[in-house]
Amino acid sequence: MRSRKFLRAEQVALSWDTPGLMAGVDEAGRGPLAGPVVAAAVILDDLNPIKGLADSKKLTALKREKLYDEIRAKALCCSIAEASVEEIDRLNILQATMLAMKRAVEGLRLKPAKVLVDGNRIPALDVLAEAIVKGDALVPAISAASILAKVHRDRWCEQFHLEYPQYGFAGHKGYGTAAHLAALQAHGACPQHRKSFGPVAGVLR
Protein backbone atom coordinates (compact mmCIF):
# COMPACT_ATOMS: atom_id res chain seq x y z
CA MET A 1 0.00 0.00 0.00
CA ARG A 2 1.34 3.43 -0.91
CA SER A 3 2.28 5.72 1.94
CA ARG A 4 0.78 9.15 2.51
CA LYS A 5 4.16 10.63 1.69
CA PHE A 6 4.09 8.96 -1.73
CA LEU A 7 0.57 10.18 -2.35
CA ARG A 8 1.65 13.73 -1.62
CA ALA A 9 4.58 13.38 -3.99
CA GLU A 10 2.08 12.53 -6.74
CA GLN A 11 0.52 15.98 -6.48
CA VAL A 12 1.95 17.29 -9.75
CA ALA A 13 0.38 18.20 -13.07
CA LEU A 14 -1.84 15.30 -14.05
CA SER A 15 -2.23 14.12 -17.63
CA TRP A 16 -5.42 12.15 -17.06
CA ASP A 17 -8.90 12.99 -15.91
CA THR A 18 -9.98 11.69 -12.52
CA PRO A 19 -13.61 10.54 -12.26
CA GLY A 20 -15.58 11.94 -9.35
CA LEU A 21 -16.14 15.32 -7.76
CA MET A 22 -13.70 18.11 -8.53
CA ALA A 23 -13.03 21.05 -6.20
CA GLY A 24 -11.56 24.39 -7.14
CA VAL A 25 -9.41 26.24 -4.59
CA ASP A 26 -8.13 29.81 -4.45
CA GLU A 27 -7.03 32.37 -1.88
CA ALA A 28 -7.33 36.07 -1.17
CA GLY A 29 -5.12 38.26 0.94
CA ARG A 30 -1.52 37.15 0.46
CA GLY A 31 -0.27 40.66 -0.27
CA PRO A 32 -1.96 42.91 2.32
CA LEU A 33 -0.17 44.19 5.41
CA ALA A 34 -3.00 43.20 7.76
CA GLY A 35 -5.66 40.61 8.39
CA PRO A 36 -5.95 36.88 7.76
CA VAL A 37 -5.28 35.13 4.49
CA VAL A 38 -8.49 33.50 3.27
CA ALA A 39 -8.99 30.42 1.10
CA ALA A 40 -12.11 28.89 -0.38
CA ALA A 41 -12.90 25.50 -1.91
CA VAL A 42 -15.90 24.94 -4.17
CA ILE A 43 -17.48 21.91 -5.82
CA LEU A 44 -19.85 23.17 -8.49
CA ASP A 45 -23.00 21.40 -9.63
CA ASP A 46 -22.80 20.69 -13.37
CA LEU A 47 -26.59 20.49 -13.49
CA ASN A 48 -26.98 23.93 -11.91
CA PRO A 49 -24.53 26.19 -13.78
CA ILE A 50 -23.59 29.71 -12.71
CA LYS A 51 -23.15 32.37 -15.39
CA GLY A 52 -20.49 35.05 -15.17
CA LEU A 53 -17.83 33.21 -13.18
CA ALA A 54 -14.41 34.81 -13.67
CA ASP A 55 -11.27 35.82 -11.84
CA SER A 56 -12.59 37.82 -8.88
CA LYS A 57 -10.11 40.63 -9.59
CA LYS A 58 -11.77 41.21 -12.97
CA LEU A 59 -15.24 41.67 -11.47
CA THR A 60 -16.82 44.68 -9.83
CA ALA A 61 -17.54 44.52 -6.11
CA LEU A 62 -21.29 44.43 -6.83
CA LYS A 63 -20.91 41.55 -9.29
CA ARG A 64 -18.75 39.63 -6.79
CA GLU A 65 -21.38 40.06 -4.10
CA LYS A 66 -24.15 38.77 -6.37
CA LEU A 67 -22.06 35.79 -7.48
CA TYR A 68 -21.09 35.06 -3.88
CA ASP A 69 -24.73 34.50 -2.98
CA GLU A 70 -25.38 32.48 -6.13
CA ILE A 71 -22.35 30.26 -5.55
CA ARG A 72 -23.42 29.60 -1.97
CA ALA A 73 -26.92 28.72 -3.20
CA LYS A 74 -26.07 26.57 -6.24
CA ALA A 75 -22.74 24.82 -5.52
CA LEU A 76 -22.85 21.22 -4.35
CA CYS A 77 -20.76 22.39 -1.42
CA CYS A 78 -18.26 25.08 -0.53
CA SER A 79 -15.97 25.96 2.34
CA ILE A 80 -14.17 29.13 3.43
CA ALA A 81 -11.21 29.03 5.82
CA GLU A 82 -8.56 31.39 7.19
CA ALA A 83 -5.04 31.45 8.51
CA SER A 84 -4.67 34.11 11.17
CA VAL A 85 -2.22 36.99 11.42
CA GLU A 86 -0.44 35.07 14.17
CA GLU A 87 -0.08 32.05 11.88
CA ILE A 88 1.15 34.25 9.04
CA ASP A 89 3.84 35.77 11.27
CA ARG A 90 4.83 32.39 12.69
CA LEU A 91 4.83 30.30 9.52
CA ASN A 92 5.36 32.92 6.74
CA ILE A 93 2.70 33.97 4.26
CA LEU A 94 3.23 31.10 1.80
CA GLN A 95 2.88 28.37 4.43
CA ALA A 96 -0.08 30.17 6.03
CA THR A 97 -1.76 30.31 2.62
CA MET A 98 -1.22 26.58 2.15
CA LEU A 99 -2.70 26.01 5.61
CA ALA A 100 -5.81 28.06 4.78
CA MET A 101 -6.25 26.11 1.54
CA LYS A 102 -5.88 22.79 3.34
CA ARG A 103 -8.49 23.87 5.89
CA ALA A 104 -10.86 24.94 3.11
CA VAL A 105 -10.61 21.58 1.34
CA GLU A 106 -10.99 19.66 4.60
CA GLY A 107 -14.07 21.74 5.41
CA LEU A 108 -15.99 20.57 2.35
CA ARG A 109 -19.08 18.54 3.17
CA LEU A 110 -18.33 16.24 0.22
CA LYS A 111 -14.89 14.76 -0.41
CA PRO A 112 -13.52 15.57 -3.87
CA ALA A 113 -11.66 13.06 -6.01
CA LYS A 114 -9.40 15.80 -7.30
CA VAL A 115 -8.53 19.35 -6.30
CA LEU A 116 -7.52 22.10 -8.73
CA VAL A 117 -5.59 24.94 -7.11
CA ASP A 118 -4.92 28.37 -8.56
CA GLY A 119 -1.23 29.16 -8.96
CA ASN A 120 1.89 27.01 -9.01
CA ARG A 121 1.85 25.44 -5.54
CA ILE A 122 -0.47 23.04 -3.78
CA PRO A 123 -1.10 22.32 -0.09
CA ALA A 124 -0.51 18.89 1.42
CA LEU A 125 -3.79 17.02 0.88
CA ASP A 126 -4.96 13.42 1.04
CA VAL A 127 -6.47 13.66 -2.45
CA LEU A 128 -4.95 14.18 -5.87
CA ALA A 129 -4.27 17.83 -6.60
CA GLU A 130 -3.07 19.92 -9.52
CA ALA A 131 -1.83 23.50 -9.59
CA ILE A 132 -3.07 25.60 -12.52
CA VAL A 133 -1.44 28.95 -13.26
CA LYS A 134 -4.15 31.56 -13.91
CA GLY A 135 -6.68 28.91 -12.95
CA ASP A 136 -9.02 31.57 -11.58
CA ALA A 137 -9.59 32.69 -15.16
CA LEU A 138 -9.64 29.20 -16.70
CA VAL A 139 -11.50 26.85 -14.36
CA PRO A 140 -15.04 27.80 -13.22
CA ALA A 141 -14.68 26.09 -9.81
CA ILE A 142 -11.47 28.03 -9.13
CA SER A 143 -13.17 31.25 -10.27
CA ALA A 144 -15.97 30.52 -7.80
CA ALA A 145 -13.45 29.89 -5.03
CA SER A 146 -11.65 33.15 -5.82
CA ILE A 147 -14.93 35.05 -5.54
CA LEU A 148 -15.86 33.47 -2.20
CA ALA A 149 -12.40 34.14 -0.74
CA LYS A 150 -12.28 37.73 -2.01
CA VAL A 151 -15.76 38.68 -0.78
CA HIS A 152 -15.18 37.03 2.60
CA ARG A 153 -11.94 38.92 3.13
CA ASP A 154 -13.35 42.23 1.90
CA ARG A 155 -16.20 41.86 4.38
CA TRP A 156 -13.66 41.19 7.12
CA CYS A 157 -11.86 44.42 6.21
CA GLU A 158 -15.09 46.40 6.27
CA GLN A 159 -15.94 45.05 9.72
CA PHE A 160 -12.43 45.70 11.01
CA HIS A 161 -12.65 49.26 9.69
CA LEU A 162 -15.38 49.91 12.24
CA GLU A 163 -12.96 49.04 15.04
CA TYR A 164 -9.91 50.85 13.62
CA PRO A 165 -11.25 53.54 11.23
CA GLN A 166 -8.00 55.52 11.35
CA TYR A 167 -6.32 53.00 9.01
CA GLY A 168 -8.93 53.06 6.24
CA PHE A 169 -9.33 49.30 5.84
CA ALA A 170 -12.69 49.64 4.10
CA GLY A 171 -10.96 51.42 1.24
CA HIS A 172 -7.57 49.76 0.73
CA LYS A 173 -8.52 46.33 2.16
CA GLY A 174 -5.18 46.08 3.97
CA TYR A 175 -2.92 46.60 0.95
CA GLY A 176 0.11 48.85 1.25
CA THR A 177 -1.33 51.95 -0.38
CA ALA A 178 0.14 55.38 0.26
CA ALA A 179 -2.78 56.16 2.58
CA HIS A 180 -2.28 52.94 4.53
CA LEU A 181 1.47 53.51 4.88
CA ALA A 182 0.83 57.06 6.06
CA ALA A 183 -1.66 55.75 8.66
CA LEU A 184 0.93 53.24 9.86
CA GLN A 185 3.44 56.02 10.35
CA ALA A 186 0.88 58.20 12.14
CA HIS A 187 -0.75 55.59 14.39
CA GLY A 188 1.67 52.65 14.54
CA ALA A 189 0.52 49.07 14.03
CA CYS A 190 -2.74 47.60 15.32
CA PRO A 191 -3.19 43.98 16.51
CA GLN A 192 -4.22 42.81 13.02
CA HIS A 193 -1.13 44.10 11.24
CA ARG A 194 1.31 41.43 10.05
CA LYS A 195 4.46 42.07 12.06
CA SER A 196 6.60 39.98 9.70
CA PHE A 197 5.85 42.27 6.75
CA GLY A 198 8.46 44.96 6.11
CA PRO A 199 6.37 48.15 6.31
CA VAL A 200 4.80 46.98 9.59
CA ALA A 201 8.11 45.77 11.04
CA GLY A 202 9.53 49.19 10.22
CA VAL A 203 7.11 51.06 12.48
CA LEU A 204 7.60 48.57 15.32
CA ARG A 205 11.34 49.13 15.60
Side-chain angles (χ1 to χ4, degrees), residues 175-205:
Y175 285 92
T177 63
H180 191 183
L181 295 177
L184 267 174
Q185 291 295 326
H187 305 290
C190 75
Q192 283 295 333
H193 276 106
R194 300 171 180 178
K195 299 176 179 63
S196 56
F197 279 44
V200 180
V203 303
L204 294 173
R205 293 191 186 111

PDB file of all heavy atoms in Angstrom, residues 175-205:
ATOM      1  N   TYR A 175      -4.085  46.505   1.836  1.00  0.00           N
ATOM      2  CA  TYR A 175      -2.920  46.600   0.953  1.00  0.00           C
ATOM      3  C   TYR A 175      -2.077  47.835   1.295  1.00  0.00           C
ATOM      4  O   TYR A 175      -2.554  48.783   1.916  1.00  0.00           O
ATOM      5  CB  TYR A 175      -3.354  46.628  -0.514  1.00  0.00           C
ATOM      6  CG  TYR A 175      -3.786  45.265  -1.011  1.00  0.00           C
ATOM      7  CD1 TYR A 175      -5.126  44.871  -0.937  1.00  0.00           C
ATOM      8  CD2 TYR A 175      -2.855  44.361  -1.505  1.00  0.00           C
ATOM      9  CE1 TYR A 175      -5.517  43.610  -1.374  1.00  0.00           C
ATOM     10  CE2 TYR A 175      -3.244  43.098  -1.932  1.00  0.00           C
ATOM     11  CZ  TYR A 175      -4.569  42.726  -1.863  1.00  0.00           C
ATOM     12  OH  TYR A 175      -4.961  41.475  -2.266  1.00  0.00           O
ATOM     13  N   GLY A 176      -0.837  47.807   0.875  1.00  0.00           N
ATOM     14  CA  GLY A 176       0.109  48.854   1.253  1.00  0.00           C
ATOM     15  C   GLY A 176       0.010  50.094   0.394  1.00  0.00           C
ATOM     16  O   GLY A 176       1.003  50.496  -0.230  1.00  0.00           O
ATOM     17  N   THR A 177      -1.140  50.703   0.362  1.00  0.00           N
ATOM     18  CA  THR A 177      -1.328  51.947  -0.380  1.00  0.00           C
ATOM     19  C   THR A 177      -0.627  53.095   0.339  1.00  0.00           C
ATOM     20  O   THR A 177      -0.235  52.976   1.513  1.00  0.00           O
ATOM     21  CB  THR A 177      -2.814  52.276  -0.515  1.00  0.00           C
ATOM     22  OG1 THR A 177      -3.350  52.495   0.803  1.00  0.00           O
ATOM     23  CG2 THR A 177      -3.586  51.147  -1.191  1.00  0.00           C
ATOM     24  N   ALA A 178      -0.482  54.208  -0.359  1.00  0.00           N
ATOM     25  CA  ALA A 178       0.143  55.377   0.256  1.00  0.00           C
ATOM     26  C   ALA A 178      -0.627  55.805   1.508  1.00  0.00           C
ATOM     27  O   ALA A 178      -0.032  56.168   2.531  1.00  0.00           O
ATOM     28  CB  ALA A 178       0.209  56.513  -0.760  1.00  0.00           C
ATOM     29  N   ALA A 179      -1.964  55.763   1.430  1.00  0.00           N
ATOM     30  CA  ALA A 179      -2.778  56.162   2.581  1.00  0.00           C
ATOM     31  C   ALA A 179      -2.574  55.207   3.757  1.00  0.00           C
ATOM     32  O   ALA A 179      -2.506  55.639   4.914  1.00  0.00           O
ATOM     33  CB  ALA A 179      -4.255  56.195   2.177  1.00  0.00           C
ATOM     34  N   HIS A 180      -2.480  53.921   3.461  1.00  0.00           N
ATOM     35  CA  HIS A 180      -2.282  52.944   4.526  1.00  0.00           C
ATOM     36  C   HIS A 180      -0.902  53.115   5.169  1.00  0.00           C
ATOM     37  O   HIS A 180      -0.760  53.073   6.402  1.00  0.00           O
ATOM     38  CB  HIS A 180      -2.436  51.531   3.964  1.00  0.00           C
ATOM     39  CG  HIS A 180      -2.501  50.469   5.016  1.00  0.00           C
ATOM     40  ND1 HIS A 180      -2.572  49.127   4.719  1.00  0.00           N
ATOM     41  CD2 HIS A 180      -2.493  50.536   6.377  1.00  0.00           C
ATOM     42  CE1 HIS A 180      -2.609  48.430   5.823  1.00  0.00           C
ATOM     43  NE2 HIS A 180      -2.559  49.260   6.844  1.00  0.00           N
ATOM     44  N   LEU A 181       0.118  53.323   4.343  1.00  0.00           N
ATOM     45  CA  LEU A 181       1.471  53.507   4.877  1.00  0.00           C
ATOM     46  C   LEU A 181       1.547  54.777   5.717  1.00  0.00           C
ATOM     47  O   LEU A 181       2.218  54.804   6.764  1.00  0.00           O
ATOM     48  CB  LEU A 181       2.479  53.556   3.733  1.00  0.00           C
ATOM     49  CG  LEU A 181       2.629  52.265   2.922  1.00  0.00           C
ATOM     50  CD1 LEU A 181       3.596  52.476   1.771  1.00  0.00           C
ATOM     51  CD2 LEU A 181       3.098  51.114   3.807  1.00  0.00           C
ATOM     52  N   ALA A 182       0.850  55.820   5.289  1.00  0.00           N
ATOM     53  CA  ALA A 182       0.830  57.060   6.061  1.00  0.00           C
ATOM     54  C   ALA A 182       0.138  56.840   7.411  1.00  0.00           C
ATOM     55  O   ALA A 182       0.584  57.365   8.452  1.00  0.00           O
ATOM     56  CB  ALA A 182       0.125  58.160   5.275  1.00  0.00           C
ATOM     57  N   ALA A 183      -0.950  56.052   7.407  1.00  0.00           N
ATOM     58  CA  ALA A 183      -1.657  55.755   8.660  1.00  0.00           C
ATOM     59  C   ALA A 183      -0.779  54.934   9.596  1.00  0.00           C
ATOM     60  O   ALA A 183      -0.802  55.137  10.816  1.00  0.00           O
ATOM     61  CB  ALA A 183      -2.964  55.021   8.352  1.00  0.00           C
ATOM     62  N   LEU A 184      -0.003  54.022   9.036  1.00  0.00           N
ATOM     63  CA  LEU A 184       0.927  53.240   9.858  1.00  0.00           C
ATOM     64  C   LEU A 184       1.943  54.154  10.538  1.00  0.00           C
ATOM     65  O   LEU A 184       2.262  53.979  11.722  1.00  0.00           O
ATOM     66  CB  LEU A 184       1.652  52.207   9.001  1.00  0.00           C
ATOM     67  CG  LEU A 184       1.066  50.815   8.890  1.00  0.00           C
ATOM     68  CD1 LEU A 184       1.857  49.984   7.881  1.00  0.00           C
ATOM     69  CD2 LEU A 184       1.048  50.108  10.251  1.00  0.00           C
ATOM     70  N   GLN A 185       2.466  55.093   9.781  1.00  0.00           N
ATOM     71  CA  GLN A 185       3.438  56.017  10.352  1.00  0.00           C
ATOM     72  C   GLN A 185       2.805  56.897  11.428  1.00  0.00           C
ATOM     73  O   GLN A 185       3.426  57.203  12.451  1.00  0.00           O
ATOM     74  CB  GLN A 185       4.035  56.900   9.244  1.00  0.00           C
ATOM     75  CG  GLN A 185       4.932  56.159   8.278  1.00  0.00           C
ATOM     76  CD  GLN A 185       6.188  55.605   8.943  1.00  0.00           C
ATOM     77  OE1 GLN A 185       6.737  56.201   9.874  1.00  0.00           O
ATOM     78  NE2 GLN A 185       6.627  54.436   8.484  1.00  0.00           N
ATOM     79  N   ALA A 186       1.556  57.289  11.207  1.00  0.00           N
ATOM     80  CA  ALA A 186       0.881  58.196  12.143  1.00  0.00           C
ATOM     81  C   ALA A 186       0.404  57.493  13.405  1.00  0.00           C
ATOM     82  O   ALA A 186       0.470  58.052  14.509  1.00  0.00           O
ATOM     83  CB  ALA A 186      -0.293  58.874  11.441  1.00  0.00           C
ATOM     84  N   HIS A 187      -0.086  56.248  13.263  1.00  0.00           N
ATOM     85  CA  HIS A 187      -0.748  55.588  14.389  1.00  0.00           C
ATOM     86  C   HIS A 187      -0.028  54.337  14.880  1.00  0.00           C
ATOM     87  O   HIS A 187      -0.443  53.737  15.881  1.00  0.00           O
ATOM     88  CB  HIS A 187      -2.176  55.196  13.981  1.00  0.00           C
ATOM     89  CG  HIS A 187      -2.994  56.338  13.478  1.00  0.00           C
ATOM     90  ND1 HIS A 187      -3.438  57.362  14.291  1.00  0.00           N
ATOM     91  CD2 HIS A 187      -3.444  56.645  12.221  1.00  0.00           C
ATOM     92  CE1 HIS A 187      -4.135  58.239  13.581  1.00  0.00           C
ATOM     93  NE2 HIS A 187      -4.144  57.824  12.318  1.00  0.00           N
ATOM     94  N   GLY A 188       1.032  53.908  14.182  1.00  0.00           N
ATOM     95  CA  GLY A 188       1.673  52.648  14.541  1.00  0.00           C
ATOM     96  C   GLY A 188       0.831  51.472  14.056  1.00  0.00           C
ATOM     97  O   GLY A 188      -0.150  51.644  13.338  1.00  0.00           O
ATOM     98  N   ALA A 189       1.217  50.286  14.464  1.00  0.00           N
ATOM     99  CA  ALA A 189       0.518  49.070  14.032  1.00  0.00           C
ATOM    100  C   ALA A 189      -0.591  48.706  15.007  1.00  0.00           C
ATOM    101  O   ALA A 189      -0.491  48.962  16.214  1.00  0.00           O
ATOM    102  CB  ALA A 189       1.503  47.914  13.909  1.00  0.00           C
ATOM    103  N   CYS A 190      -1.658  48.116  14.479  1.00  0.00           N
ATOM    104  CA  CYS A 190      -2.738  47.603  15.318  1.00  0.00           C
ATOM    105  C   CYS A 190      -2.575  46.086  15.447  1.00  0.00           C
ATOM    106  O   CYS A 190      -1.719  45.486  14.794  1.00  0.00           O
ATOM    107  CB  CYS A 190      -4.089  47.967  14.717  1.00  0.00           C
ATOM    108  SG  CYS A 190      -4.542  46.987  13.268  1.00  0.00           S
ATOM    109  N   PRO A 191      -3.374  45.431  16.286  1.00  0.00           N
ATOM    110  CA  PRO A 191      -3.193  43.984  16.507  1.00  0.00           C
ATOM    111  C   PRO A 191      -3.350  43.125  15.254  1.00  0.00           C
ATOM    112  O   PRO A 191      -2.843  42.003  15.230  1.00  0.00           O
ATOM    113  CB  PRO A 191      -4.287  43.647  17.535  1.00  0.00           C
ATOM    114  CG  PRO A 191      -4.512  44.924  18.278  1.00  0.00           C
ATOM    115  CD  PRO A 191      -4.343  46.001  17.265  1.00  0.00           C
ATOM    116  N   GLN A 192      -4.026  43.611  14.220  1.00  0.00           N
ATOM    117  CA  GLN A 192      -4.221  42.807  13.022  1.00  0.00           C
ATOM    118  C   GLN A 192      -3.206  43.099  11.926  1.00  0.00           C
ATOM    119  O   GLN A 192      -3.313  42.559  10.828  1.00  0.00           O
ATOM    120  CB  GLN A 192      -5.644  42.992  12.483  1.00  0.00           C
ATOM    121  CG  GLN A 192      -6.698  42.232  13.275  1.00  0.00           C
ATOM    122  CD  GLN A 192      -6.526  40.726  13.170  1.00  0.00           C
ATOM    123  OE1 GLN A 192      -6.001  40.203  12.201  1.00  0.00           O
ATOM    124  NE2 GLN A 192      -6.974  40.009  14.189  1.00  0.00           N
ATOM    125  N   HIS A 193      -2.199  43.904  12.211  1.00  0.00           N
ATOM    126  CA  HIS A 193      -1.134  44.104  11.243  1.00  0.00           C
ATOM    127  C   HIS A 193      -0.148  42.941  11.311  1.00  0.00           C
ATOM    128  O   HIS A 193       0.127  42.399  12.384  1.00  0.00           O
ATOM    129  CB  HIS A 193      -0.409  45.433  11.494  1.00  0.00           C
ATOM    130  CG  HIS A 193      -1.082  46.604  10.864  1.00  0.00           C
ATOM    131  ND1 HIS A 193      -1.782  47.538  11.585  1.00  0.00           N
ATOM    132  CD2 HIS A 193      -1.180  46.979   9.555  1.00  0.00           C
ATOM    133  CE1 HIS A 193      -2.279  48.448  10.759  1.00  0.00           C
ATOM    134  NE2 HIS A 193      -1.932  48.131   9.521  1.00  0.00           N
ATOM    135  N   ARG A 194       0.376  42.557  10.152  1.00  0.00           N
ATOM    136  CA  ARG A 194       1.307  41.434  10.051  1.00  0.00           C
ATOM    137  C   ARG A 194       2.720  41.921  10.390  1.00  0.00           C
ATOM    138  O   ARG A 194       3.376  42.581   9.590  1.00  0.00           O
ATOM    139  CB  ARG A 194       1.258  40.842   8.639  1.00  0.00           C
ATOM    140  CG  ARG A 194      -0.132  40.330   8.264  1.00  0.00           C
ATOM    141  CD  ARG A 194      -0.199  39.944   6.778  1.00  0.00           C
ATOM    142  NE  ARG A 194      -1.531  39.456   6.424  1.00  0.00           N
ATOM    143  CZ  ARG A 194      -1.882  39.094   5.191  1.00  0.00           C
ATOM    144  NH1 ARG A 194      -0.994  39.161   4.202  1.00  0.00           N
ATOM    145  NH2 ARG A 194      -3.108  38.660   4.951  1.00  0.00           N
ATOM    146  N   LYS A 195       3.185  41.559  11.565  1.00  0.00           N
ATOM    147  CA  LYS A 195       4.460  42.070  12.063  1.00  0.00           C
ATOM    148  C   LYS A 195       5.654  41.594  11.252  1.00  0.00           C
ATOM    149  O   LYS A 195       6.724  42.204  11.297  1.00  0.00           O
ATOM    150  CB  LYS A 195       4.635  41.672  13.534  1.00  0.00           C
ATOM    151  CG  LYS A 195       3.562  42.218  14.461  1.00  0.00           C
ATOM    152  CD  LYS A 195       3.742  41.720  15.879  1.00  0.00           C
ATOM    153  CE  LYS A 195       2.681  42.275  16.816  1.00  0.00           C
ATOM    154  NZ  LYS A 195       1.312  41.824  16.425  1.00  0.00           N
ATOM    155  N   SER A 196       5.495  40.512  10.510  1.00  0.00           N
ATOM    156  CA  SER A 196       6.602  39.975   9.703  1.00  0.00           C
ATOM    157  C   SER A 196       6.721  40.659   8.350  1.00  0.00           C
ATOM    158  O   SER A 196       7.664  40.392   7.606  1.00  0.00           O
ATOM    159  CB  SER A 196       6.410  38.459   9.498  1.00  0.00           C
ATOM    160  OG  SER A 196       5.140  38.185   8.913  1.00  0.00           O
ATOM    161  N   PHE A 197       5.791  41.554   8.018  1.00  0.00           N
ATOM    162  CA  PHE A 197       5.847  42.270   6.754  1.00  0.00           C
ATOM    163  C   PHE A 197       6.646  43.558   6.938  1.00  0.00           C
ATOM    164  O   PHE A 197       6.432  44.289   7.906  1.00  0.00           O
ATOM    165  CB  PHE A 197       4.434  42.572   6.246  1.00  0.00           C
ATOM    166  CG  PHE A 197       3.782  41.413   5.548  1.00  0.00           C
ATOM    167  CD1 PHE A 197       3.857  40.135   6.071  1.00  0.00           C
ATOM    168  CD2 PHE A 197       3.081  41.600   4.373  1.00  0.00           C
ATOM    169  CE1 PHE A 197       3.250  39.052   5.437  1.00  0.00           C
ATOM    170  CE2 PHE A 197       2.470  40.529   3.723  1.00  0.00           C
ATOM    171  CZ  PHE A 197       2.553  39.250   4.250  1.00  0.00           C
ATOM    172  N   GLY A 198       7.511  43.869   5.984  1.00  0.00           N
ATOM    173  CA  GLY A 198       8.462  44.960   6.115  1.00  0.00           C
ATOM    174  C   GLY A 198       7.904  46.293   6.562  1.00  0.00           C
ATOM    175  O   GLY A 198       8.410  46.883   7.540  1.00  0.00           O
ATOM    176  N   PRO A 199       6.871  46.843   5.909  1.00  0.00           N
ATOM    177  CA  PRO A 199       6.366  48.155   6.313  1.00  0.00           C
ATOM    178  C   PRO A 199       5.832  48.171   7.752  1.00  0.00           C
ATOM    179  O   PRO A 199       5.915  49.210   8.422  1.00  0.00           O
ATOM    180  CB  PRO A 199       5.236  48.413   5.314  1.00  0.00           C
ATOM    181  CG  PRO A 199       5.607  47.615   4.112  1.00  0.00           C
ATOM    182  CD  PRO A 199       6.236  46.374   4.662  1.00  0.00           C
ATOM    183  N   VAL A 200       5.294  47.041   8.205  1.00  0.00           N
ATOM    184  CA  VAL A 200       4.803  46.982   9.592  1.00  0.00           C
ATOM    185  C   VAL A 200       5.982  46.840  10.551  1.00  0.00           C
ATOM    186  O   VAL A 200       6.054  47.509  11.578  1.00  0.00           O
ATOM    187  CB  VAL A 200       3.823  45.810   9.764  1.00  0.00           C
ATOM    188  CG1 VAL A 200       3.311  45.752  11.205  1.00  0.00           C
ATOM    189  CG2 VAL A 200       2.662  45.942   8.793  1.00  0.00           C
ATOM    190  N   ALA A 201       6.923  45.955  10.209  1.00  0.00           N
ATOM    191  CA  ALA A 201       8.111  45.771  11.043  1.00  0.00           C
ATOM    192  C   ALA A 201       8.847  47.100  11.210  1.00  0.00           C
ATOM    193  O   ALA A 201       9.390  47.388  12.281  1.00  0.00           O
ATOM    194  CB  ALA A 201       9.025  44.725  10.436  1.00  0.00           C
ATOM    195  N   GLY A 202       8.831  47.930  10.157  1.00  0.00           N
ATOM    196  CA  GLY A 202       9.532  49.189  10.216  1.00  0.00           C
ATOM    197  C   GLY A 202       9.004  50.144  11.268  1.00  0.00           C
ATOM    198  O   GLY A 202       9.768  50.861  11.913  1.00  0.00           O
ATOM    199  N   VAL A 203       7.682  50.154  11.483  1.00  0.00           N
ATOM    200  CA  VAL A 203       7.113  51.063  12.483  1.00  0.00           C
ATOM    201  C   VAL A 203       7.168  50.473  13.890  1.00  0.00           C
ATOM    202  O   VAL A 203       6.887  51.183  14.869  1.00  0.00           O
ATOM    203  CB  VAL A 203       5.658  51.443  12.142  1.00  0.00           C
ATOM    204  CG1 VAL A 203       5.580  52.067  10.763  1.00  0.00           C
ATOM    205  CG2 VAL A 203       4.723  50.259  12.262  1.00  0.00           C
ATOM    206  N   LEU A 204       7.514  49.210  14.001  1.00  0.00           N
ATOM    207  CA  LEU A 204       7.603  48.565  15.317  1.00  0.00           C
ATOM    208  C   LEU A 204       9.000  48.653  15.908  1.00  0.00           C
ATOM    209  O   LEU A 204       9.204  48.321  17.073  1.00  0.00           O
ATOM    210  CB  LEU A 204       7.195  47.074  15.208  1.00  0.00           C
ATOM    211  CG  LEU A 204       5.736  46.817  14.852  1.00  0.00           C
ATOM    212  CD1 LEU A 204       5.498  45.335  14.615  1.00  0.00           C
ATOM    213  CD2 LEU A 204       4.811  47.350  15.948  1.00  0.00           C
ATOM    214  N   ARG A 205       9.963  49.050  15.102  1.00  0.00           N
ATOM    215  CA  ARG A 205      11.340  49.135  15.599  1.00  0.00           C
ATOM    216  C   ARG A 205      11.491  50.252  16.603  1.00  0.00           C
ATOM    217  O   ARG A 205      10.870  51.292  16.500  1.00  0.00           O
ATOM    218  CB  ARG A 205      12.324  49.365  14.431  1.00  0.00           C
ATOM    219  CG  ARG A 205      12.398  48.163  13.493  1.00  0.00           C
ATOM    220  CD  ARG A 205      13.557  48.332  12.538  1.00  0.00           C
ATOM    221  NE  ARG A 205      13.550  47.266  11.558  1.00  0.00           N
ATOM    222  CZ  ARG A 205      13.285  47.413  10.265  1.00  0.00           C
ATOM    223  NH1 ARG A 205      13.028  48.619   9.797  1.00  0.00           N
ATOM    224  NH2 ARG A 205      13.300  46.400   9.445  1.00  0.00           N
TER     225      ARG A 205
END
